[in-house]
Each structure stands twice: as structure tokens, then as C-alpha cells.
Amino acid sequence: MRYDSITEAIGNTPLVRIDPAVHGLRHIDLYAKLELLNPFGSVKDRAAWNMARPHLAAAADQGGQVVELSSGNTAKALAVLAGMHGLTFKSVTNRMRIPEIKDLLLLLGAEIEELPGQSECLDPTATDDPLTLFHRSLSEPDSTYLHTDQYFNSRNTEAHFTGTGPEIVKDLEGRAPDWFIACVGTAGSSTGVARALREHDPAVRVAGLVAAKSDFIPGIRTIDEAHEVGLFDPATYDTIETVSADEAIEGMLTLNRRCGILAGPTGGAAYFGAIRQLQAADAQLTERQSAVFIVCDRVESYLSYVRRRRPELFGRPMRRNSPADVSDAETRTAPAIGIADAQAWIGTGEPLVVDLRSPYAYAALHIDGSVNIVDELFEELLHGGLPFSHNRPVLLACPVGEKSARYAALLTRMGHPDVRSLTGGIIAWRDAGAPLVRD
Amino acid sequence: MGGQPLYLEPRLELRLRSLLDSPDLLHTLTDALGSPLNLVVPDQLADNLEQFRSVYGKHHLSGQVFLAHKANRSSALLRRLAATDAGVDVASLGELQHALGAGFTPDRITATGPKNPEFLWLAARASVTVSLDGRGELDQLATLVRKHALPRARILLRLSGFEASGVRVLSRRSRFGTAVGELDALLEAVERHADVVDLVGVAYHLDTTSFTEKATALEGCLRVLEECRSRGLRPRSVDIGGGFGANYLADGGQWERYTTELTEAVLGTRPPLTYGGHGYGLRSEGGTLRGTLGLYPAHRPVAGAAYLDELLAHPAASLGGRPLAALLLEHLYDLHTEPGRALLDQCGLTLTKVLEVRDQEADGPLAVRLAAKADDVALEEHGVLMDPVVVPRAPAGVGTVAEPVAVHLFGSRCLESDLITRRTVFLPRRPEPGDLLVFANTAGYCMDFHATRAQHQPVARKVAAWQEGDTWRWCLDDQYWPTTPVGGAQ
């Protein structure tokens, strides 16, 4: 397929049937609408393009800037679209909790402004909260901002009413599914698709999914946050259910590992919520029904999010010579040397002094003649074996003598005959009045 | 009453719980000393300090924990703290005199905030460390030291306006401190005054609950300290201020339920939850929620010492991603903290007597009038929503079943707006005149920071209480000394 512009590749995403052996539903065909296959990576490509398109040319003439309150996929799509049209893009957000997305936005040339955390000494009468100031700056008379306003812009919903919804009907041979399950973020996709499907068949049941209040799932709002969204109308949904972050990741893993669909946690939440919703209905059914859920975006951007919640998924094989293998007893009995003796020993010129602190700290002040190998790097080196010859005595130094003792024990275990830890570390060295230098 | 009662029950640790289980004592105290009455628990302060110390210990950090004195005027609390090894942060001449009088030696006192000449002179005379707002104050201090032949002054430089690379954080502007961008002129002034001042470190205080903003500031301080060292100065500490917060509520589920229902009340999909439909900063525009919830996050699972722990474990993005604690340690810097609310967590109660209970419209909340003004219980002033505990005067009669009630709590001033809270409060039983409503955990900023003598009404007296065996003992706040509990007040 040949296109003149990448924007033509937005939409017309596949509708893929989930293997019944995976979902276990006996009477319901479950389909995933693969919005992750949009060119910039998510369902938001449609809304971003539909909202920005009519204004891009005029904004480019004025040298304007596209702005949006977005912490993720809308920002990503808008950053690309702005760049393609010679505009800059700024995202203002207090929800940017995914480091990979933040980095990607910076890579794409976006400017990011983060709203500050809540005030600790609250002034209940304060009127100058940063979000209010932001809105004020948008409406200044000479403003050249193109604010796409995704939470209130009806063109967000429209993109799905004219695109995503009809595509689903077309792919189901002109029928609307019996069920539609979607996560509520801007409410644009769920509202637009629901409206399109219901025009076809008013009996379509629509389930909205929100995040549990104390939880965080990227791209999904909690019920309170949903109320802040202009496009959100509770009447759109037959039910509104809650999903937890753990459930979202569980759903995501099923899609990733068993269905070949590299969905992110939002898609995982939709899958999990869909199965939970449909299981009850399935037990009562005799005829066949169909259900559709949306896979919003891809897994790759969420590795740190998943790692924080499910570290065991990233379990790496044990590596030899790791300081973690050294017992506390070994550490306590590791060869060590006090400050005065260490000074005398260094004076003989024999030992190599290795400072395990970070390069910044080393640069600021260190023992004269020492070598800086930051502990992370030292650990890497030791996996490969002893980095010193046996006949070279070594004095290890860290801030308080704890890490150095652990490494001294490890090096001893690895067969080094004369390694010692500086007791009390650089801090004790300083407190004893021993000299520290800067180079 | 409109559905289930929406309780926001206070978090009560052992001491406060035990006090609330002593109705005779509480009634005796208010009968004798009046309502409102503040009650402080000095021993709790020492326990809280230990929690901060253990976080320091875990990260191998040295440095001082300074109580932000302004959070409570109590002498008992200050004297109890003087008996530990902690420090105190004073922000006025009176607070400095109070601290010196309570037994703090100058090495355990830091003078911060806006200063008048008398405050600055006493601070310099007594050799307490002075946290300086900027060049003007530095010049003023140096002049004072020279003119009055005072000892060399130990100074901290308060900084602000830290910038992160990559992402611009729209932090609230602070009117205190010197912007990092204007550092050069300040350091030149420090060098010029080298004959009379010693730079011991830098300080910041950010009014935010956000880890990333605080981490950015701490990284900025490390860079500034490095700049100081390269100029030949010898600073050795960073003072990161306070703002570690407190967890007020026992049950996170109650808090989540309440805030959701408040949202719905504002949107009009459930009956109001506040006096006059107040929205605490939220409002409805065409069925969509607008505004910002102006409330303290009363349920905070990570607060106080645990917050400090998490902050110290936070990776320093601009310095190789090592945890902040590791960087402080490696650079051989002491860490100073100035907790107020967090150090006074669970350190006190405010007792108020019920004067009148009146039915309003049918099925509506009861009007409960207290012998206290809104400014005597300043929880609302700080956006903290938390239920008072009912301590009945008479034990419940046999066979009476306590029914939950909704109430509005009014203060004793002749003023429409004198509401203890604008929230409709749910209580597990109907209070009666003579009962006490006890507000827990008010020692941090909610006892005397806002209290006035408007209308010739008294401000609350303060009592210090401690346990001897199973018995609670007490004395007036200013009668308390660390010797009191052991020897008895006589």
C-alpha cells in the first residue's frame, strides 16, 4: 500500500479474533481492535489528527505552538504532527509518570512542562494554581497557541464516531457487536465508538473501565478524574467498572504471551475488564454473541512501569561474584584497616586505593593517588573475575566502610591475598583530619 | 440522612487512643480549664524523632533533625525535645528566646525566615546558625557582627528557583531564598565577608508534596555546594527543610469514598455533603467537574519519616541516577531536616465542649454548636478533613442503640462563617450538650497558629500529659519540664 503522507496510515486498523482457548468464553466471539497499529503507536493518533488538522496551516503561518494537557499518547501524536507541519509542541501535565514516554517526547522535540505537586502548607483560598494560570495564558488576546483541548474537543469523539466505530461494523459484516468494552481516558474513543455502534444497533451494551482510585494505570482515569473530562457522560456506559493495575498487567501478559498482541497495560486492562464482564453473560447464553475491546497502545513504553510492579517478570539468571552473595558475617569479618594504619600503608606506596563512590563525589574530594571505580562498574568488572593481579595490594574505600567491607570480603573469596576495607570510610578519614584533595 | 454515613475517622496511635479511652480525665480537664482545651503529649515527640533518626541510620547519614517551632507554641513539647539530641528551627525573636530558655544549646538551633535586627542580633550573639534569605540579609548580618564585635556567624544560604534539565517544572514561586541563577553575586558576598561569616551549607524549602521537585532541588544544592568548594569555601551540610507530611486518617477506603461522593455532590448527582453546597475548590460547569480540590491529602500512606526515606532513595536524574542518599553520603555532606507537622504527628488533641444540639430541617443535619471558634481548631484552615471523636459526658444508658447522625459543627462566634468545618460531619451517635468533641492530631499547626481572641473569647489553655504506668498525669503546659514526669509536679 502506497501513501503520500504518513497521516494517511492513521486508522483502518485490524480487528483480530482472540482464540477461545485463551479467553475460555463458550458463546462469545471476542475481538481486539488493534489501535496499537496506528503509525505513531496508539488510538490517540486518530483524535490528534482530527483535532489538529483544520488548524495546522493557519498556526504554521503565525509561527504558533500546539499545546495539550497530555501525559502520553496524545502528546506523542501531536508532537509528530506538529513537527511535520513546522510547528513546535508543548505538553503540560501532572501525570507524566512513565519515564520512557517522557524521554520519547523530548526526543521528538516536544517541550514538557510539569505541574507541581500538591502544596504541603495548603492555602485554601489560593487562586493561582498552575493549571488556572495555564488556561489564562491560552486565552490571552495575542496568544498563538493551538490548544487541541482533547478532554473537551468534540472532534476527539468525532474521530471515533466516523472512523473507529464504522470500521468495527464493517469488519463484522455490517453488524454491531453485542458488547463493546473500553477504558475511559479522554472518553473520546469510548463515546465515539459507542455512539456509532448504537446508531447501528441500539441494543449494544457498552462497558466503561476506570482505574481503582488508589491505583495508576497509564491512559485510564479514576472515576473522580473522569468527571473532570468534558467528553465524559456517564449515560454513555451501561456499566462502569473498576480495574486495578495488577489486573491490567495480568491482562496485558495474556495478550503479549498468548495472543501475539504486544499491547500495553491499557489494552491489558480492557482485555481483563472484557473477560470479567463477559464471563457472567456467557454462562447464561445459548446463541452466539460478539464483543469488541480496544487495544490502545504498545507494551514497549511501559517496561519500567511493569518492572516496578512485577519485578519477578524481569528475573535475570544469577551471576557469579556478586556482592549480594556475600553474607553479613563474611562482611563483618572482612579484612579491614583503620585510618592511621591506612595512612601509613598508603605512605609505603604499596596499595592501590580504589574509591567506590560516584565520579561526582570523587571529583569533589578524594584520597590523593586513589583510583575511582564507581561501585556499579566495579560489580560489573568482578563478574568477569579479579581485575587486579594477586601481588598488588588493594585498599577499598566507600563513604562509611560498609560497601568496601562487602567488596573486600568478595575479593578475598575470589582469592585476592591482600585486600582491605577502609574502616569508617571516607567520612571517618575526613573526621580524623586526614588529607583529601581535588585534582 | 442520605445513605451511608461517610466517616473520616482519625488515625490514632497508642497514646492518643488511650487518652480518648479516659473520658473522666478529659471531662475533668475541660470542667476545670474550659473549652477549648489543647492537650499535648511530649513523649510522642521523642518517639517520632527516633523514626527520623532511624531513617538517617538506614542511609548512614549524619546531620540534625530540627523541629519547626512555628508548628506549635507549646513549652512542654519544646522542653521535651531539648531533652533529646534533636534541634529546633526558630523563625522569630520570641521563638529563639523560647528555644534558648528551653535548654537548646546554640549548636542545636537554626534561625530561619524573615528576620528583624533584634532577632538577627540575638542569633549572632548566641552563635546559632543563621539561614539567610539573600545578599541583603548577609550584608546586614556582617555589619551587625562587625559593629557589635560578635563572634563569627555560621550561615546557611537559602536557595530557590532550581531548574531541571529536559522538563520544565512549573513550581510555585517562592518569595524566599536566592534564585540559583543569581548565585555568583551571593557567593562573592560570602567571600567578601569571610572575616565574619562561615558558610556551613545551603538550604531550601519547597512547598510541595512532589518527590521529583524536591529531588531536583537537592540535586541543585549538590551542584551549588560543589561550586562553593571550588571557590575554596568549606560547606558541609544541606538543609532540605520540611514538608514530609502527616497521615491523618485511619482508613484510606473512607477517604476515597468520601472524595468520590464529594465529587458527585458537586456535580449534583447526590445530596450536598457540605454547608451551603461548598465544593472545596470544585465546581460543576455543564455537568463537568472544574477546579482543583483544595484539600490536604488526609490519607497519606507515605508520610513523615517514611516520606524522607523515599525521598532519599529517589534517584538523582542529573547525577548518574544514584539515590540522593548515596550522593549526600559520598560527598560527605550532613543532611539537615526541619519537620514540623511530621514531627508533631500524634502529639496532641483539641477538646471542645458541645453547647447546643439543634434539629434543623427535617432529615437534615443537626446543628451542633461548640465552645470553640473555628480558629481554635485550624484543621479546616489547612484543608484537613477528619472527624472529631465524641466523648460522652454520661455513659450510654442500658439498651440505647447509638444511631449515626449527620451534623454541622458551628463555632461560638457571632459570625455566619464561624464553622469548625464546612463539611457535613457524620458521627456514630448523636452528641448531647456537655459531651466533648475531640479533634485528634492537632499539634502540628492546628492548635495555636491561627487562634485569636476575637470577641474577647479565650484562646485554648494548653496541658501536657504523660503516662506513669497505666495512669495519665498532667500539668499546665508551661509547668512542664523534663524533670516533671519523674519527680512529680510538686
Side-chain angles (χ1 to χ4, degrees):
Chain A
M1 210 168 292
R2 216 183 81 174
Y3 297 119
D4 288 327
S5 162
I6 187 72
T7 54
E8 291 167 28
I10 296 173
N12 288 312
T13 53
L15 189 68
V16 172
R17 183 163 169 267
I18 303 290
D19 185 349
V22 174
H23 62 61
L25 300 168
R26 298 215 319 263
H27 303 286
I28 300 176
D29 294 312
L30 179 62
Y31 296 93
K33 178 71 171 160
L34 298 191
E35 290 300 299
L36 77 171
L37 294 177
N38 277 303
F40 316 134
S42 87
V43 65
K44 303 293 189 186
D45 294 7
R46 296 176 188 261
W49 180 227
N50 203 45
M51 291 186 295
R53 190 176 42 192
H55 309 292
L56 284 168
D61 288 344
Q62 295 178 3
Q65 183 173 44
V66 183
V67 291
E68 182 54 276
L69 294 168
S70 167
S71 55
N73 287 316
T74 306
K76 200 204 297 182
L78 285 172
V80 176
L81 290 169
M84 287 173 64
H85 293 81
L87 291 158
T88 56
F89 171 70
K90 173 162 82 177
S91 178
V92 180
T93 173
N94 56 0
R95 298 168 59 81
M96 189 145 320
R97 293 191 244 178
I98 308 293
E100 292 95 328
I101 300 228
K102 197 187 270 190
D103 286 343
L104 183 57
L105 283 173
L106 293 170
L107 183 92
L108 293 172
E111 191 184 326
I112 304 175
E113 289 188 347
E114 274 185 15
L115 298 170
Q118 206 174 346
S119 170
E120 171 62 37
C121 281
L122 196 79
D123 175 5
T125 59
T127 52
D128 61 340
D129 74 283
L131 201 54
T132 308
L133 294 176
F134 165 72
H135 280 289
R136 207 177 295 159
S137 72
L138 289 180
S139 54
E140 274 165 12
D142 54 347
S143 158
T144 55
Y145 287 125
L146 163 50
H147 179 208
T148 39
D149 202 9
Q150 60 167 341
Y151 295 105
F152 290 83
N153 191 336
S154 60
R155 290 186 66 87
N156 177 352
T157 312
E158 185 195 66
H160 302 286
F161 178 67
T162 58
T164 324
E167 288 170 24
I168 291 171
V169 172
K170 189 182 102 224
D171 287 340
L172 292 176
E173 281 87 37
R175 293 192 48 218
D178 298 283
W179 301 86
F180 173 61
I181 298 99
C183 299
V184 181
T186 65
S189 59
S190 54
T191 309
V193 171
R195 204 178 292 159
L197 298 182
R198 282 190 176 128
E199 252 185 24
H200 227 82
D201 178 1
V204 177
R205 270 151 296 177
V206 177
L209 298 167
V210 293
K213 253 184 101 167
S214 53
D215 240 340
F216 167 63
I217 308 175
I220 313 187
R221 302 204 137 209
T222 69
I223 186 65
D224 292 7
E225 291 165 344
H227 283 304
E228 296 167 5
V229 175
L231 303 177
F232 175 75
D233 176 3
T236 302
Y237 312 91
D238 295 294
T239 60
I240 295 181
E241 303 281 339
T242 301
V243 234
S244 71
D246 287 344
E247 292 166 343
I249 291 173
E250 210 42 63
M252 182 189 90
L253 288 174
T254 306
L255 291 175
N256 294 167
R257 292 180 171 185
R258 300 203 55 205
C259 305
I261 296 173
L262 294 185
T266 327
Y271 174 75
F272 188 95
I275 301 295
R276 190 174 55 188
Q277 184 76 38
L278 299 173
Q279 265 167 351
D282 189 55
Q284 318 289 325
L285 284 178
T286 47
E287 80 282 22
R288 283 213 80 69
Q289 290 198 338
S290 59
V292 171
F293 68 98
I294 288 185
V295 177
C296 164
D297 67 357
R298 300 181 64 91
V299 63
E300 286 88 340
S301 296
Y302 301 100
L303 296 181
S304 64
Y305 171 83
V306 179
R307 187 178 293 123
R308 202 168 325 129
R309 283 163 181 80
R310 295 284 297 274
E312 85 285 359
L313 293 172
F314 298 84
R316 299 201 185 94
M318 289 278 286
R319 301 183 66 178
R320 64 197 195 97
N321 303 334
S322 168
D325 305 342
V326 178
S327 71
D328 290 345
E330 268 177 290
T331 303
R332 272 194 302 277
T333 55
I337 183 166
I339 304 297
D341 292 343
Q343 275 187 279
W345 193 31
I346 294 168
T348 66
E350 270 181 22
L352 178 67
V353 185
V354 178
D355 188 328
L356 297 168
R357 298 175 302 151
S358 71
Y360 310 98
Y362 175 83
L365 282 175
H366 55 255
I367 295 172
D368 197 18
S370 60
V371 176
N372 179 214
I373 310 178
V374 63
D375 53 16
E376 296 153 8
L377 192 60
F378 198 54
E379 180 173 348
E380 274 306 307
L381 285 176
L382 296 192
H383 289 314
L386 273 181
F388 318 107
S389 64
H390 279 83
N391 52 19
R392 178 68 155 161
V394 176
L395 173 63
L396 297 176
C398 74
V400 289
E402 193 192 57
K403 264 184 200 151
S404 57
R406 195 163 284 273
Y407 279 106
L410 180 58
L411 287 170
T412 306
R413 191 203 270 187
M414 289 167 72
H416 196 288
D418 193 9
V419 57
R420 295 179 223 181
S421 160
L422 182 66
T423 305
I426 303 284
I427 287 182
W429 177 278
R430 176 199 64 185
D431 292 347
L436 290 169
V437 299
R438 299 166 64 89
D439 286 317
Chain B
M1 202 174 66
Q4 287 290 317
L6 291 166
Y7 295 128
L8 290 173
E9 289 161 328
R11 191 183 117 248
L12 298 169
E13 301 290 332
L14 289 176
R15 289 192 179 88
L16 294 192
R17 188 174 295 284
S18 161
L19 278 167
L20 285 163
D21 286 340
S22 316
D24 290 345
L25 171 67
L26 302 183
H27 279 283
T28 305
L29 284 171
T30 43
D31 286 347
L33 299 167
S35 164
L37 180 70
N38 287 320
L39 202 157
V40 297
V41 190
D43 290 335
Q44 183 67 41
L45 181 54
D47 286 0
N48 294 352
L49 172 66
E50 279 316 304
Q51 291 188 18
F52 273 87
R53 288 276 185 234
S54 75
V55 170
Y56 274 66
K58 175 179 163 190
H59 295 282
H60 305 292
L61 289 168
S62 48
Q64 185 58 284
V65 180
F66 296 90
L67 171 70
H69 187 353
K70 60 178 171 285
N72 201 306
R73 293 162 56 101
S74 162
S75 294
L77 291 172
L78 203 63
R79 291 169 187 164
R80 180 65 186 85
L81 194 70
T84 69
D85 58 359
V88 62
D89 151 39
V90 296
S92 72
L93 178 66
E95 286 186 359
L96 174 54
Q97 290 175 284
H98 195 201
L100 289 167
F104 283 92
T105 46
D107 56 312
R108 292 167 60 194
I109 304 176
T110 303
T112 62
K115 301 169 198 76
N116 58 21
E118 299 79 17
F119 183 24
L120 210 50
W121 180 85
L122 186 59
R125 177 62 271 172
S127 291
V128 311
T129 303
V130 183
S131 183
L132 293 173
D133 201 51
R135 236 174 87 194
E137 213 171 60
L138 172 59
D139 290 340
Q140 204 187 347
L141 175 67
T143 308
L144 209 64
V145 171
R146 291 194 189 102
K147 185 172 165 198
H148 297 272
L150 298 173
R152 293 172 64 82
R154 297 157 51 81
I155 59 165
L156 289 167
L157 301 177
R158 177 160 174 178
L159 305 175
S160 65
F162 300 96
E163 293 199 352
S165 48
V167 174
R168 193 158 82 92
V169 180
L170 304 170
S171 283
R172 272 172 219 85
R173 223 180 42 211
S174 171
R175 65 189 182 90
F176 300 115
T178 302
V180 168
E182 295 153 26
L183 188 70
D184 275 352
L186 183 61
L187 290 182
E188 279 160 23
V190 171
E191 288 168 337
R192 208 166 47 244
H193 296 307
D195 56 321
V196 284
V197 299
D198 284 322
L199 178 71
V200 295
V202 295
Y204 70 85
H205 179 83
L206 293 185
D207 178 21
T208 178
T209 55
S210 149
F211 285 115
T212 29
E213 281 172 82
K214 291 191 171 177
T216 302
L218 189 43
E219 286 169 54
C221 283
L222 289 173
R223 260 190 294 275
V224 170
L225 287 168
E226 178 55 19
E227 165 73 19
C228 293
R229 275 181 172 172
S230 72
R231 283 170 176 264
L233 298 163
R234 284 286 166 262
R236 55 178 286 170
S237 59
V238 186
D239 185 328
I240 64 168
F244 307 111
N247 180 18
Y248 285 96
L249 297 183
D251 182 346
Q254 288 182 348
W255 172 246
E256 296 196 352
R257 216 154 34 243
Y258 179 81
T259 42
T260 295
E261 301 263 343
L262 178 65
T263 305
E264 288 172 6
V266 170
L267 289 171
T269 55
R270 66 147 287 148
L273 277 172
T274 51
Y275 186 77
H278 183 71
Y280 287 109
L282 299 177
R283 61 185 191 280
S284 170
E285 275 177 24
T288 296
L289 197 67
R290 291 287 205 170
T292 310
L293 187 66
L295 288 178
Y296 190 86
H299 184 261
R300 282 183 75 171
V302 181
Y307 183 102
L308 176 64
D309 189 21
E310 198 162 319
L311 177 64
L312 290 173
H314 196 91
S318 69
L319 295 169
R322 282 171 93 77
L324 289 166
L327 283 170
L328 284 167
L329 188 64
E330 291 177 343
H331 282 85
L332 320 179
Y333 293 130
D334 290 342
L335 174 74
H336 297 327
T337 50
E338 297 173 358
R341 196 193 296 272
L343 211 47
L344 293 173
D345 185 33
Q346 298 287 318
C347 285
L349 301 168
T350 299
L351 316 180
T352 63
K353 189 167 282 187
V354 176
L355 291 179
E356 182 191 7
V357 180
R358 188 156 38 94
D359 289 299
Q360 305 188 93
E361 67 256 48
D363 249 14
L366 302 170
V368 173
R369 185 159 57 91
L370 300 177
K373 309 182 297 305
D375 55 42
D376 291 316
V377 189
L379 289 164
E380 182 95 347
E381 187 75 31
H382 286 261
V384 177
L385 298 189
M386 174 171 63
D387 295 343
V389 178
V390 187
V391 179
R393 177 147 209 107
V398 183
T400 50
V401 182
E403 289 265 352
V405 291
V407 303
H408 283 140
L409 299 176
F410 298 104
S412 55
R413 270 182 299 180
C414 181
L415 183 68
E416 288 289 358
S417 64
D418 195 27
L419 278 89
I420 305 291
T421 170
R422 283 164 289 199
R423 182 170 66 99
T424 306
V425 175
F426 296 89
L427 297 173
R429 54 173 286 172
R430 183 187 168 109
E432 299 298 338
D435 288 354
L436 293 178
L437 290 193
V438 181
F439 295 86
N441 214 356
T442 49
Y445 291 104
C446 297
M447 278 187 177
D448 50 41
F449 198 83
H450 301 272
T452 65
R453 290 176 193 274
Q455 279 182 232
H456 261 275
Q457 300 211 30
V459 293
R461 288 194 172 86
K462 210 173 267 159
V463 159
W466 66 93
Q467 283 166 301
E468 283 174 19
D470 293 337
T471 316
W472 279 98
R473 306 275 180 191
W474 65 274
C475 67
L476 285 172
D477 180 72
D478 58 8
Q479 301 285 316
Y480 179 98
W481 285 93
T483 51
T484 314
V486 193
Q490 14 336 60

Coordinates of all heavy atoms in Angstrom, one line a residue, chain A residues 23 47 57 60 128 241 261 265 270 304 328 370:
Chain A
H23 N -9.4 -17.2 26.0 CA -10.3 -16.5 26.8 C -11.3 -17.4 27.5 O -11.9 -17.0 28.5 CB -11.0 -15.3 26.1 CG -11.8 -15.7 24.9 ND1 -12.9 -16.5 24.9 CD2 -11.7 -15.3 23.6 CE1 -13.4 -16.6 23.8 NE2 -12.7 -15.9 22.9
A47 N -7.5 10.9 17.1 CA -8.1 12.1 17.7 C -7.1 13.3 17.5 O -7.6 14.4 17.1 CB -8.3 11.9 19.2
A57 N -2.4 24.6 9.3 CA -1.9 25.5 8.3 C -1.9 26.9 8.8 O -0.9 27.6 8.7 CB -2.7 25.4 7.0
A60 N 0.7 27.4 11.5 CA 2.1 27.4 10.9 C 2.4 28.8 10.4 O 3.5 29.3 10.5 CB 2.2 26.3 9.8
D128 N -4.2 30.9 42.3 CA -3.3 30.9 41.2 C -2.7 29.5 41.0 O -1.5 29.4 40.8 CB -2.1 31.9 41.5 CG -1.4 31.6 42.8 OD1 -2.0 30.8 43.6 OD2 -0.3 32.0 43.0
E241 N -17.0 -0.1 35.4 CA -16.3 -1.0 36.3 C -14.9 -0.5 36.6 O -14.3 0.3 35.8 CB -16.3 -2.4 35.7 CG -17.6 -3.0 35.3 CD -18.4 -3.5 36.5 OE1 -17.7 -3.8 37.6 OE2 -19.6 -3.6 36.4
I261 N -0.3 -10.3 20.7 CA -0.6 -8.9 20.6 C 0.2 -8.1 21.6 O 0.0 -8.3 22.8 CB -2.2 -8.7 20.9 CG1 -3.0 -9.4 19.8 CG2 -2.5 -7.2 20.9 CD1 -4.5 -9.4 20.0
P265 N -0.4 -1.8 29.1 CA -1.3 -2.0 30.2 C -2.7 -1.5 30.0 O -3.7 -2.1 30.5 CB -0.7 -1.3 31.4 CG 0.5 -0.6 30.9 CD 0.8 -1.0 29.4
A270 N -8.3 -3.4 29.3 CA -9.5 -3.6 28.5 C -9.8 -5.1 28.3 O -11.0 -5.5 28.5 CB -9.4 -2.9 27.1
S304 N 9.4 0.1 32.4 CA 9.7 0.5 33.8 C 8.5 0.4 34.7 O 8.6 0.1 35.9 CB 10.3 1.9 33.8 OG 9.4 2.8 33.4
D328 N 26.4 -11.4 55.7 CA 26.7 -10.3 56.6 C 27.9 -10.7 57.5 O 28.7 -9.9 57.9 CB 25.5 -10.0 57.5 CG 24.4 -9.3 56.6 OD1 24.7 -8.8 55.5 OD2 23.2 -9.2 57.1
S370 N 44.3 8.0 44.7 CA 43.4 6.9 44.5 C 42.8 6.9 43.1 O 42.9 7.8 42.4 CB 42.2 7.1 45.6 OG 41.6 8.3 45.3

